[in-house]
């Protein structure tokens, strides 16, 4: 007699994955494919007719001075943001992981900015830089603070960065805190017996265990920096003198203000490729330094 066929053990996995796959395809896969197609046309986003023009939108983007200025601003912004957020969030995680009084209260307080919308935070800080900071500068005689930071083409980027760092350090700190709590305490005890000081423990025990968390945070913060948009709209609207135009901001301008939809989509595809490339590179580099990896 033939033995009855054993049920396919992978079938429940496929069934459970199907809704996510359908939603991912509908909200991400199809728009990306459609975007690639429209980036090869001259569609303005409104007309029913358009022409296929090949790679002209991509070639024109690389010859567009405004695009290159936004490219420079975005990478400068991202570099400073990543360095500041990683250092500050790690310091917060170390403090919250220490034995301090009212630790639960402080964990709630520092995470509060993360639950606010980006536009709301941008509008609040816009008023702070416009009204509160100049008054403080005049009261204490600090000349550099007596004018609106966002009105200076050289300093406006720092106003946006301060806002982003204030809100953006909360989530990476949570990730780092989870990593710190996963480090075996036995290792610290053994290191203490061997005579290791605090810096040595941090370098040779804490850091290796935090590499996976560092990789996650780098991907998230780099992506946040490269796609910065909400803060710019709420605080400077690309000014003064186009000094704070990011790639995401000019993509919005091209598509929804100047009705060059296909041109804007082409620039968004370029941004997507950059984000994917940087994410893959940094993930591979950091994965080699994880605990247990050679």
């Amino acid at each position: 007699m033939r033995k009855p066929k054993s049920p396919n053990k992978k079938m429940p996995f496929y069934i459970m994955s199907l809704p996510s796959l359908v939603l991912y395809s509908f909200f991400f896969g199809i728009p990306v494919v459609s975007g690639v197609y429209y980036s090869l046309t001259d569609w303005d986003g409104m007309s029913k007719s358009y022409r296929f023009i090949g790679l002209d939108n991509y070639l024109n983007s690389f010859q567009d001075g405004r695009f290159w200025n936004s490219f420079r601003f975005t990478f400068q912004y991202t570099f400073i943001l990543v360095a500041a957020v990683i250092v500050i969030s790690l310091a917060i995680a170390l403090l919250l992981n220490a034995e301090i009084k009212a630790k639960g209260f402080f964990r709630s307080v520092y995470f509060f900015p993360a639950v606010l919308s980006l536009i709301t935070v941008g509008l609040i800080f816009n008023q702070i830089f416009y009204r509160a900071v100049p008054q403080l500068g005049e009261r204490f005689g600090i000349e550099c603070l007596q004018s609106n930071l966002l009105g200076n083409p050289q300093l406006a980027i720092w106003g946006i960065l301060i806002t982003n760092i204030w809100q953006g350090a909360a989530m990476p700190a949570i990730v780092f805190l989870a990593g710190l709590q996963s480090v075996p305490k036995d290792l610290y005890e053994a290191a203490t017996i061997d005579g290791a000081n605090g810096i040595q423990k941090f370098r040779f025990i804490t850091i290796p265990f935090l590499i996976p968390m560092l990789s996650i945070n780098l991907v998230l913060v780099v992506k946040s920096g490269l796609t910065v948009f909400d803060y710019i709209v709420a605080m400077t609207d690309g000014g003064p003198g186009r000094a704070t135009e990011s790639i995401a901001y000019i993509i919005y301008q091209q598509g929804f203000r100047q009705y060059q939809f296909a041109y804007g989509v082409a620039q968004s595809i370029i941004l997507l490729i950059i984000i994917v490339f940087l994410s893959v590179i940094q993930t591979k580099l950091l994965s080699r330094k994880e605990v247990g990896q050679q």
Side-chain angles (χ1 to χ4, degrees):
M1 296 180 60
R2 292 183 178 179
K3 294 181 179 181
K5 294 183 178 179
S6 59
N8 189 350
K9 296 182 179 180
K10 295 184 178 180
M11 186 56 66
F13 171 77
Y14 294 139
I15 294 175
M16 296 297 291
S17 302
L18 185 60
S20 299
L21 180 61
V22 171
L23 291 174
Y24 186 81
S25 300
F26 184 78
F27 289 105
F28 182 78
I30 295 176
V32 169
V33 174
S34 300
V36 172
Y37 170 74
Y38 284 119
S39 70
L40 303 175
T41 68
D42 64 350
W43 190 38
D44 60 5
M46 301 290 291
S47 303
K48 294 183 178 180
S49 60
Y50 51 84
R51 295 183 301 109
F52 184 83
I53 59 175
L55 298 176
D56 285 359
N57 287 326
Y58 294 92
L59 296 176
N60 291 335
S61 295
F62 289 117
Q63 297 173 359
D64 189 344
R66 186 182 180 189
F67 178 75
W68 282 112
N69 287 335
S70 69
F71 195 88
R72 176 191 57 78
F73 169 83
T74 302
F75 271 82
Q76 179 185 2
Y77 182 93
T78 302
F79 178 80
I80 301 173
L81 180 70
V82 169
V85 168
I86 294 299
V87 172
I88 293 174
S89 61
L90 180 56
I92 293 174
L94 290 170
L95 290 174
L96 294 177
N97 193 53
E99 296 299 329
I100 58 175
K101 295 181 179 180
K103 183 163 56 176
F105 170 76
F106 287 114
R107 288 182 178 181
S108 302
V109 169
Y110 95 90
F111 190 73
F112 174 73
V115 303
L116 300 175
S117 72
L118 303 184
I119 289 291
T120 300
V121 173
L123 292 173
I124 292 173
F125 271 83
N126 188 17
Q127 292 300 309
I128 291 174
F129 288 124
Y130 178 69
R131 300 180 185 276
V133 174
Q135 291 183 6
L136 289 175
E138 292 178 1
R139 176 67 61 87
F140 294 101
I142 304 175
E143 185 177 353
C144 63
L145 298 180
Q146 293 179 6
S147 60
N148 185 3
L149 197 68
L150 301 177
N152 189 317
Q154 284 74 40
L155 300 179
I157 183 176
W158 293 103
I160 302 172
L161 277 167
I162 291 171
T163 307
N164 198 345
I165 293 167
W166 179 81
Q167 185 177 35
M171 192 59 68
I174 285 287
V175 177
F176 278 134
L177 184 60
L180 289 171
Q181 294 179 346
S182 68
V183 181
K185 294 184 179 180
D186 296 343
L187 294 178
Y188 291 118
E189 294 174 358
T192 301
I193 295 173
D194 291 338
N197 56 34
I199 296 177
Q200 291 172 329
K201 292 177 185 178
F202 179 76
R203 177 182 176 184
F204 296 106
I205 298 178
T206 305
I207 291 297
F209 276 92
L210 288 182
I211 291 298
M213 288 68 191
L214 177 61
S215 179
I216 294 171
N217 284 337
L218 279 176
V219 172
L220 293 176
V221 180
V222 167
K223 180 259 182 187
S224 175
L226 292 177
T227 59
V228 59
F229 173 76
D230 303 74
Y231 296 119
I232 292 175
V233 171
M235 300 178 71
T236 64
D237 199 26
R242 294 185 173 180
T244 59
E245 286 188 336
S246 65
I247 298 177
Y249 179 82
I250 67 165
I251 289 172
Y252 166 77
Q253 291 288 324
Q254 300 287 0
F256 298 99
R257 293 283 182 86
Q258 301 176 11
Y259 299 104
Q260 296 178 329
F261 185 82
Y263 188 53
V265 171
Q267 294 176 346
S268 69
I269 297 297
I270 295 173
L271 179 59
L272 173 63
I273 293 172
I274 293 172
I275 293 174
V276 171
F277 175 76
L278 292 178
S279 299
V280 170
I281 293 299
Q282 68 189 27
T283 301
K284 287 187 175 181
L285 290 176
L286 290 175
S287 63
R288 298 175 184 176
K289 299 181 179 181
E290 292 182 14
V291 176
Q293 300 294 329
Q294 298 295 331

